[in-house]
Structure formats: C-alpha cells, structure tokens
Amino acid sequence: MPVGAGHAHVLYRDANSPVHRLPPEVKIAAMVAFTVAVVATPRAAFWAIGAYALLVAVVAALARVSLPWLLTRSAIELPFVLFAFALPFIGAGERVEALGMSLSVEGLHGAWNILAKGTLGVWASLLLAATTTTRDLIVGLDRLRCPQIITQIATFMLRYLDVLVGEARRMRVARISRGDDPRFLWQLRGFAAGIGTLFLRAFERGERVYLAMLSRGYTGRMPAVWQGAGAATTGQWLIGATVPLLAGTVAATAVVLT
Amino acid sequence: MIQDVPSTTPSLDVRGVRYAYPDGHVALHGVDLTVARGERVALLGPNGAGKTTLVLHLNGILTATEGSITVGGLAVEADRARLAEIRRRVGIVFQDPDDQLFLPTVAEDVAFGPANLGLRGADLAARVDEALAAVGMSAQRDRAPHHLSFGQRRRVAVATVLAMRPEILVLDEPSSNLDPAARRELATILRALPVTLLMVTHDLPYAFELCDRSVILDAGRIVADGPTADLLGDEELLARHRLELPYPFSPVRK
C-alpha cells in the first residue's frame, strides 16, 4: 500500500528511482551510518572527503536528483557554518599569508573540517528528504523502533499542521479585514494576541481529538496497523548498506593512513 | 452490520440519567430515552440543552451521577473490557471531522477503530474496504484527510465508526457546514445504512427527512417524544424550546 500518497513536502522530488523505492528505514539507517563515517574521518584526509562527495554524486544520479538542486538547497547550512569562516582569523598557532591576510593554519583546517563534513551531512539528509515522503519517514522511524511517543507526535504534527496554518490564515484575514496593518514591530499586538488564541484553539482541539480517539477504543497505545506491510527485506538492507559500507571503508583507511 | 444481539432488545435504553459537572452545574436532570433496533431518531434541542453531554454518556466518556444506560442489553459500566465493547457498539461521529480524522491517510484512520478491537491483516483491510464502500469513499482510501472536501471528510468520519460495526450510530450535527448537495448525499448514505441511528441536530428539515421519530431535549430534560411530523407541526412547542423551522418549510409528506 502506498502509505505516503498525498504527503509530499517541499523537499520531496517525485520520481520512480531505485532510491525512491528503497524502504524508508533502510534509507534512514544508511544516511545516519554515512554521516557517522564522514564525521569519524581525520580532517587531514582530503582525498576521503572527495571520495564521499563522489558517493553522494552517484546516489544523487541514481535518485534523479540534479546537482544544481542539491547545491541550492545546501544553502540551508549557511547560518550553521558561518562560524567556520571566522576560524582562520581567530585561530591560534602557526600562520600563513594569503591574499594579504594573515591566517591561522589550525583555523584553516578547522574551517575546512566543519564546512566539508557539514556539507556532506546536509547532502545526505537532502537526498533522504528528496526521495522519501514525510509519511514514509515516520513509518521508517517507527520500524527502526523509534519510541512511539516521538513518532506519534510527528504523525499528529503532519496531520494538523495544515489545519493550524489554515486557522492562522483565517484569523489573519479577519484581522486585516478590520483594518489591522502591522507594518512595524510595535504594531504586532494583534498578531501576538492571535498566537495566544491559536494556542488555545490547538489545545481545545487536542482535547476533542482525544475524546474522539477514546470513543473508538483508544487505550493509550497506537495499534500497529500497517507497519508489518512492506517492511524492508534482507536484500533491500544489503543494497542500502553499500553506501555506508563504502564510506566506512574510506573512513577506516583514512584513520590508518594518518 | 448488527450482530449477536437478540432482536427484541432495544439498541439504546437510557433510564433516569442525571449528570452534574464537577463545578456543580447540573446538565442532565433525569433523561429517559429508548431507541429500538433499526430505528432512526432525531435528538432535537437548542444550544446548551445538554445534547452533547448526553451523547458522551452513551459510550461511557462521561459517567452518570444517577441512572443507567444499556446498549443492546449491555450496561455501560466503568470496567475496562466492558467499556471497550460499549465503544464498539456506540459509534459516535463528532461534529468536526478534523477532530475525528487524526491520521495521515483515510485508510489508516478508518482502520484505527477496528485495530483497537484487535483486528489485523486481511480482516482489518476487509473492514476498511467495507466501511469506505458504505459511504462511497473507496477511491479516496490513500488520500490525506486535509486534501478532501468537507463533505467527503464527514463521510470518512462516518466510515471510521462504521468500521467498528456499531449497534447504534450517533451523529452530532451531521448536516452542519455541508453544502446542499453534500447534505443530500449524506442523507442518502445514512438512509441506506442498516443500523440504528440517533441524530443530534437543530436542523429540523434534516430530522424530518431522515427520522420518523424525534425527541426534544431542553434544559437537561426530555420534553417531547413523538413522530417527527407531529413535533414539527406543533409551533408552540418548538417556540417554547428555541426551535424554529426555516420560513417556507411545511412538515407535510409528499
């Protein structure tokens, strides 16, 4: 059963590739294992980073995800790696001259380390997001024995996000219709009050949803309805393991060589 | 969809139910109501009459301060196993389908109730198919509830309780927020269901269309009980309980 039907998110690229067809739990496990291998690599092993980038490129090609898309979406990491750009200037120890600036060698290594590993991690996550619907992500986490409370919260968020956004939008239209025009920070009173109202409504809705669940025999645990169907086979696990295994080999070699 | 219940037992028997909220406000002042098997009854009343409070008693969400309720001969008691069976027998369709449909796809939501009853695999899938077919929503089984129209969502909400094969279907304001066509489609579906029906509403024409018998609940008491046409014909009775027919409507069967 295509459990994910109708649950595309902004990052999801609809296609029918071998990567799309892999069960979500395999892709999640592969993504995490790959990232761990990348992080464990000594920072001086530049060739290893190149090998990882090559792996990402191969998977992207298999998943029919274009490189420009991958590169533009990587911009998300910018706020997190800004600190890396400061490292060469504030780092201590031996310094080199480049473009008329005195830069710390230690800092340059540090910046490269954060930037390269961060980017590889973001790419791996983007590939997972581009090939897996939100619904499948939750199903995958569930099959990986992620605590049910977390998957349940994620499921509710997935279901009610649109309802809440719709409510917020209607409240905003009603506010604007009565002449509210918050252009400046000090005019945000109406907006702030709206947030409060929205919270109360969400709270009340939560109570009604819970009553409706009780009425259908809910006893505090979600019945495992479809988890059994379509879980990954050994073959699929093996296919999914190729990328993290290769990455692991690269990491191990890099550790031995340095 | 009704099974294992001797046909002479009423689907619902409410005897002298009194209920006071924890703050002391008395919502029900001794309600008596019997609904025979296969009957379709409208529960009419103005806002604040205690209609929803009464509905929440029927499946043991609220517990009566006094009085008793039996569903298909089984008394509503606060015992865990008993409550599970009562909640199977009483299918409540709440007013806002967004409260009822909380899972990401229609099929998963319809499966929630029967899965709580312990059904799995092929049996469960068959239940889901049966319930969705009964409300004409089979084609939408893999869609997300928030991508459906309001009328479709209400029909799926009906399917979520039909999948539990209830003894009695209780609908809270089933016609609210529906456009005229969706309202008519829902009426057609409800009329075709082989199940006892209790419909809470203040949409009097809808009650007239679907239910031969109506009861009026006001200020926590049943104040009238009789053929819908008789009740709706009594203008003074309706006015006394803040109920009104839409202006051009005349309660005469064609």
Side-chain angles (χ1 to χ4, degrees), chain A:
Chain A
M1 197 189 89
V3 252
H7 267 282
H9 51 83
V10 277
L11 291 177
Y12 183 69
R13 312 268 92 194
D14 195 27
N16 186 18
S17 79
V19 187
H20 281 78
R21 281 194 299 270
L22 270 187
E25 63 270 32
V26 172
K27 285 186 275 190
I28 296 171
M31 191 274 282
V32 172
F34 174 80
T35 311
V36 169
V38 168
V39 172
T41 309
R43 63 188 187 185
F46 299 113
W47 62 270
I49 301 294
Y52 295 141
L54 193 69
L55 273 175
V56 168
V58 170
V59 175
L62 276 175
R64 312 229 180 89
V65 172
S66 72
L67 286 180
W69 182 86
L70 209 55
L71 293 179
T72 19
R73 294 291 170 168
S74 320
I76 182 126
E77 68 167 330
L78 277 181
F80 303 98
V81 295
L82 268 184
F83 174 68
F85 291 101
L87 278 183
F89 301 99
I90 60 177
E94 188 190 340
R95 300 187 88 79
V96 290
E97 289 290 324
L99 305 170
M101 290 178 289
S102 162
L103 301 174
S104 148
V105 174
E106 184 69 13
L108 276 172
H109 271 124
W112 159 254
N113 194 37
I114 292 174
L115 207 58
K117 291 182 179 175
T119 309
L120 284 168
V122 168
W123 282 349
S125 318
L126 278 174
L127 282 177
L128 174 67
T131 58
T132 320
T133 60
T134 322
R135 180 66 195 132
D136 279 348
L137 279 177
I138 296 172
V139 170
L141 284 174
D142 212 44
R143 287 184 189 149
L144 289 171
R145 306 270 182 283
C146 177
Q148 220 195 11
I149 188 79
I150 294 174
T151 52
Q152 273 184 40
I153 290 172
T155 310
F156 277 83
M157 195 193 72
L158 175 61
R159 169 65 182 90
Y160 284 105
L161 200 60
D162 281 20
V163 175
L164 268 182
V165 168
E167 242 162 47
R169 192 173 294 140
R170 285 195 297 278
M171 280 162 60
R172 183 178 155 270
V173 169
R175 241 181 16 246
I176 291 174
S177 308
R178 286 185 291 157
D180 187 29
D181 184 18
R183 269 189 256 184
F184 302 103
L185 199 60
W186 53 90
Q187 296 176 336
L188 284 176
R189 200 183 158 269
F191 173 76
I195 297 278
T197 313
L198 199 62
F199 174 77
L200 275 181
R201 284 198 194 176
F203 189 79
E204 286 167 1
R205 181 178 297 279
E207 206 165 277
R208 293 199 304 270
V209 171
Y210 179 64
L211 276 187
M213 289 169 72
L214 275 187
S215 299
R216 286 198 278 154
Y218 179 67
T219 50
R221 272 198 79 76
M222 291 293 275
V225 180
W226 314 114
Q227 277 97 326
T233 61
T234 317
Q236 284 168 322
W237 276 112
L238 288 177
I239 297 170
T242 46
V243 171
L245 273 182
L246 284 172
T249 316
V250 170
T253 318
V255 169
V256 171
L257 288 183
T258 41

Side-chain angles (χ1 to χ4, degrees), chain A residues 1-7 135 138-139 155-156 158-160 162-163 205 208-219 221-226, chain B residues 56 59 61 80 87 90 92 94 96 98-105 107-109 111-113 115-116 120 124 141-142 144-147 160-161 164:
Chain A
M1 197 189 89
V3 252
H7 267 282
R135 180 66 195 132
I138 296 172
V139 170
T155 310
F156 277 83
L158 175 61
R159 169 65 182 90
Y160 284 105
D162 281 20
V163 175
R205 181 178 297 279
R208 293 199 304 270
V209 171
Y210 179 64
L211 276 187
M213 289 169 72
L214 275 187
S215 299
R216 286 198 278 154
Y218 179 67
T219 50
R221 272 198 79 76
M222 291 293 275
V225 180
W226 314 114
Chain B
L56 292 180
N59 71 349
I61 299 254
R80 236 180 128 79
R87 283 172 189 169
V90 181
I92 301 184
F94 289 87
D96 186 349
D98 277 333
D99 293 341
Q100 190 131 14
L101 309 177
F102 68 101
L103 285 168
T105 68
E108 281 174 278
D109 220 302
F112 178 74
N116 281 329
R120 293 290 180 270
L124 183 60
R141 59 171 293 149
D142 294 325
H146 58 262
H147 291 160
T160 62
V161 296
M164 299 174 81

